[in-house]
């Protein structure tokens, strides 16, 4: 099995910064893409940022130039540095990883979610 543990979400004022972390553990042979999604109340879950095994990244337009995704392959961990936070960034943030497991193949896994609240 694969477990994802997220941390870093909390209440912050507009203009502030947060760093989210997501550590993957378990029977992992390799990790392909890692990403962060978010879901605000009454809205669909949306991709915030993703990073592949080669380090290439992509971002939602709404967070470009404010958020930075990175990964530490030795720790199987992905980070999301969020700067210049806005109230509209308020959401539950979910980590997603695409993992290759021996004898199982490729599958994606989700974290439990971490709440980010930005006050105006």
């Amino acid at each position: 099995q694969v477990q994802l543990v997220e941390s870093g979400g909390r209440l912050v004022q507009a203009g502030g910064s947060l760093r989210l972390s997501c550590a993957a553990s378990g029977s992992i042979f390799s990790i392909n893409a890692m990403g962060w999604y978010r879901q605000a109340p009454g809205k669909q879950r949306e991709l915030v940022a993703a990073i592949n095994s080669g380090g290439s990244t992509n971002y939602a337009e709404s967070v470009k130039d404010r958020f930075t995704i990175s990964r530490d392959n030795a720790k199987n961990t992905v980070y999301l540095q969020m700067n210049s936070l806005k109230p509209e960034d308020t959401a539950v943030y979910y980590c997603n990883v695409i993992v290759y497991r021996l004898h199982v193949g490729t599958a994606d896994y989700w974290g439990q979610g971490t709440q980010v609240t930005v006050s105006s």
Side-chain angles (χ1 to χ4, degrees), residues 77-99:
T77 299
V78 61
Y79 306 96
L80 185 68
Q81 178 66 44
M82 306 186 292
N83 299 328
S84 302
L85 283 161
K86 305 175 181 180
E88 50 264 43
D89 294 319
T90 295
V92 178
Y93 284 70
Y94 296 91
C95 170
N96 174 266
V97 298
I98 300 175
V99 171

Side-chain angles (χ1 to χ4, degrees), residues 4-64:
L4 301 180
V5 177
E6 302 173 12
S7 61
R10 63 176 175 86
L11 173 65
V12 64
Q13 287 191 333
S17 298
L18 283 177
R19 189 174 86 148
L20 305 183
S21 300
C22 173
S25 62
S27 56
I28 298 169
F29 182 80
S30 63
I31 297 180
N32 299 336
M34 308 180 84
W36 289 94
Y37 290 71
R38 67 185 181 188
Q39 187 166 20
K43 294 189 176 182
Q44 289 189 331
R45 190 173 298 189
E46 62 174 356
L47 175 68
V48 176
I51 183 168
N52 67 16
S53 57
S56 296
T57 59
N58 66 287
Y59 296 91
E61 282 296 326
S62 60
V63 306
K64 276 184 180 178

